[in-house]
Amino acid sequence: MLEVGINHYLILSAALFCIGLVGVLLRKNALVILMCIELMLNGVNLSFVAFGYYYSNLNGFIIVFFVMTVAACEAAVGLALAVAILKRFKEINIKNFELLKG
Amino acid sequence: MMINSAEVLFYILGLMTLIAGVGVVAMQNPIYSALCLVMTMIGISGLFFTLEAYFVAGVQLIVYAGAVTVLFVMVVMLFDLRKEVSSALGGGINTAAKAVGVGIILGLILSAISLSKLGTSTMPLKGLGASSIKEVAVQLFTKYIFGFEIISVLLLLVVVGAVGLARSRGGTHA
């Protein structure tokens, strides 16, 4: 059990994903929700790299590269939206995102 | 019992990552959440190093622990976010239902991992080693060249879109 195999990395990845999911569902602050989405994406990245290492397949490493880029784009657009909402409503509660039309 | 240094490294980094991940969700102040996020990213980068994914680990440090976190911290510092701390958590039966749902998902994933035949080999089939960086570059610029170019278009689109959104006054369309 102490010997680290792919199962250990997969369990850690699942735990990170579920921590992020709890944050997305329970928090009301839109900034923290974006951070928790990053947490979920990183959990999935960890499982990709673990599979790529234990099965000697480079596709796992390359897909992580693409996921990181798309995640950075998503964070930039999400933060721009959060700033726009913050200017309009003077707070960043997620309930203000119900109606995105200005 | 012999304890390998790689195992010690895995447990230390994994514990650090999990504690910092819980901190992201549990901290009331968004700036502490952002700092916990940095710790999580550094821990995951270390885990990538233990998996010999050196290029991915470096990109993780630069892109996440560097750029994305700076974005978050800048937005947190631009605005006074202290007064909405009270609305951090919803209450009541709604919260309990969400927690139970996440618990069911976690149980499903863990049972799927334990039921699969993945755990039979603890050693990699064939070590990739330091040559993996060169191989990743070759694959990225031959087999995945189309995805690479599409990513560059996406980045340009996001730069224009983010500037346009952030420049608008009040509503989300100027």
Side-chain angles (χ1 to χ4, degrees):
Chain A
M1 192 59 203
L2 201 64
E3 193 130 343
V4 173
I6 187 170
N7 276 2
H8 292 73
Y9 285 97
L10 290 184
I11 289 168
L12 181 61
S13 152
L16 274 178
F17 183 86
C18 286
I19 289 170
L21 190 57
V22 167
V24 169
L25 289 177
L26 293 187
R27 294 300 298 259
K28 294 281 187 286
N29 191 328
L31 278 176
V32 179
I33 287 177
L34 283 172
M35 290 180 204
C36 291
I37 290 173
E38 299 293 323
L39 208 59
M40 292 170 75
L41 287 165
N42 270 282
V44 176
N45 276 351
L46 187 60
S47 74
F48 272 129
V49 173
F51 274 115
Y53 176 66
Y54 281 100
Y55 289 88
S56 294
N57 195 340
L58 280 174
N59 293 344
F61 294 0
I62 291 168
I63 202 83
V64 166
F65 179 72
F66 288 131
V67 170
M68 274 180 190
T69 319
V70 175
C73 293
E74 168 259 324
V77 174
L79 285 172
L81 273 175
V83 168
I85 295 281
L86 203 57
K87 280 182 188 166
R88 177 86 156 75
F89 293 99
K90 304 288 181 242
E91 65 167 6
I92 199 163
N93 198 318
I94 191 66
K95 72 179 195 299
N96 294 329
F97 281 71
E98 284 171 354
L99 188 63
L100 278 181
K101 188 167 181 288
Chain B
M1 180 184 276
M2 277 285 288
I3 294 179
N4 200 341
S5 65
E7 287 155 9
V8 175
L9 206 59
F10 170 79
Y11 283 111
I12 291 173
L13 286 172
L15 205 63
M16 187 183 99
T17 310
L18 277 185
I19 290 171
V22 171
V24 173
V25 177
M27 288 294 176
Q28 296 286 303
N29 196 333
I31 195 84
Y32 294 142
S33 288
L35 294 179
C36 283
L37 192 69
V38 179
M39 286 303 291
T40 316
M41 299 307 173
I42 292 170
I44 289 174
S45 173
L47 288 169
F48 287 169
F49 268 110
T50 66
L51 289 171
E52 296 184 4
Y54 303 117
F55 174 69
V56 179
V59 171
Q60 170 90 9
L61 271 184
I62 295 168
V63 172
Y64 273 120
V68 171
T69 313
V70 167
L71 262 179
F72 278 114
V73 172
M74 284 300 290
V75 172
V76 172
M77 288 194 305
L78 273 176
F79 299 98
D80 184 21
L81 294 174
R82 276 172 299 180
K83 60 180 177 298
E84 57 92 42
V85 162
S86 57
S87 68
L89 283 173
I93 195 158
N94 202 354
T95 306
K98 286 169 181 170
V100 168
V102 174
I104 289 171
I105 290 174
L106 183 62
L108 280 175
I109 297 172
L110 291 183
S111 56
I113 291 170
S114 62
L115 286 177
S116 62
K117 300 285 193 296
L118 295 168
T120 50
S121 74
T122 55
M123 283 302 290
L125 301 175
K126 173 171 63 88
L128 294 165
S131 66
S132 68
I133 296 176
K134 187 183 171 189
E135 279 302 310
V136 165
V138 168
Q139 295 254 318
L140 202 57
F141 287 111
T142 54
K143 191 176 167 189
Y144 294 96
I145 185 69
F146 184 69
F148 193 76
E149 296 294 336
I150 289 291
I151 282 286
S152 68
V153 175
L154 177 70
L155 279 171
L156 181 66
L157 210 69
V158 165
V159 167
V160 175
V163 170
L165 276 178
R167 274 176 57 86
S168 66
R169 298 180 191 285
T172 50
H173 60 278

